Amino acid sequence: MTSTTTINTLVDQLKANPLNWALLAVFLYVLRSYISAPANAAPEPRHPETIVFKDYTPIELQPYTGKQDNGMGRILMAVNGNVYDVSRGRNFYGPDGPYGNFGGRDASRGLAKGSFDLDMLTDVDKPIDKLEDLARDEWEALREWEAHFAGKYLLVGKLVENI
Ligand code: HEM
């Protein structure tokens, strides 16, 4: 069958039954969507945000309070020498959260003593709190919090002294 014969047959079919016009319209519509689909369906591939395990000094940690400044909205927090990304606990540690004081800081003393008061925090330009005065039950509390953070949040680094 030549292509002319095929076209003639198609035209005859269209003349014979008006329903065929509707079928042709549906066919053309599906064909058009199929041809234009790849452009819509394939968004630009984007690399997921890379999180690198690294050392943070208290000064470097400080911007990560959840505000849209140097920390770019992320919230990091140190617990007994480990740094966790607690961004998904924004309701707790974000700028308006009840434990917002801990965001971007070493929270160890506050967690050990069960207090989120500002005087639990060590100034960021001072040496890291060695926690030498903690009582046995306070160490126990801190270790329990450590287990909580390790189970819930991503460990992203270590807290090291300012250079
Ligand atoms: C006034 C007394 C307090 C109340 C009513 C309270 C209430 C709560 C509640 C409801 C949660 C969520 C528990 C969950 O969903 O797993 C929580 C979590 C937490 N609380 Fe408190 N809290 C109090 C005192 C404190 C204090 C003094 C500290 C200071 C260390 C503290 C630190 C935390 C931390 C670190 C979490 C875990 C948040 C997380 O999973 O990231 N809380 N608290």
Side-chain angles (χ1 to χ4, degrees):
M1 190 187 279
T2 65
S3 56
T4 326
T5 332
T6 312
I7 290 168
N8 286 340
T9 314
L10 192 65
V11 171
D12 288 346
Q13 290 291 323
L14 289 172
K15 280 182 188 158
N17 188 346
L19 186 64
N20 286 332
W21 283 105
L23 290 174
L24 181 66
V26 170
F27 172 74
L28 291 175
Y29 177 77
V30 170
L31 187 69
R32 188 173 148 267
S33 345
Y34 182 75
I35 289 167
S36 57
N40 302 335
E44 275 293 296
R46 286 184 58 202
H47 196 282
E49 193 196 343
T50 310
I51 294 175
V52 180
F53 187 92
K54 55 176 253 192
D55 290 344
Y56 291 87
T57 66
I59 289 175
E60 285 168 342
L61 195 65
Q62 195 182 22
Y64 294 95
T65 58
K67 295 189 196 128
Q68 291 295 331
D69 51 11
N70 299 344
M72 292 180 301
R74 284 174 76 202
I75 310 176
L76 302 186
M77 174 172 154
V79 183
N80 201 19
N82 290 319
V83 176
Y84 292 93
D85 187 325
V86 296
S87 303
R88 72 189 190 90
R90 184 168 300 274
N91 289 346
F92 293 120
Y93 313 106
D96 301 322
Y99 316 129
N101 286 348
F102 291 156
R105 303 299 287 270
D106 179 4
S108 308
R109 179 168 292 273
L111 292 172
K113 290 187 176 278
S115 163
F116 39 80
D117 292 347
L118 276 173
D119 62 3
M120 291 290 120
L121 304 175
T122 304
D123 292 341
V124 295
D125 54 354
K126 298 267 162 57
I128 295 169
D129 188 349
K130 303 228 171 19
L131 307 167
E132 283 161 339
D133 60 318
L134 291 189
R136 183 191 289 266
D137 61 327
E138 291 171 337
W139 270 113
E140 214 169 282
L142 181 53
R143 297 222 187 283
E144 278 173 21
W145 278 121
E146 249 188 301
H148 174 82
F149 282 87
K152 184 169 179 183
Y153 299 109
L154 191 65
L155 177 67
V156 294
K158 290 271 173 200
L159 186 67
V160 299
E161 294 289 0
N162 293 316
I163 304 147

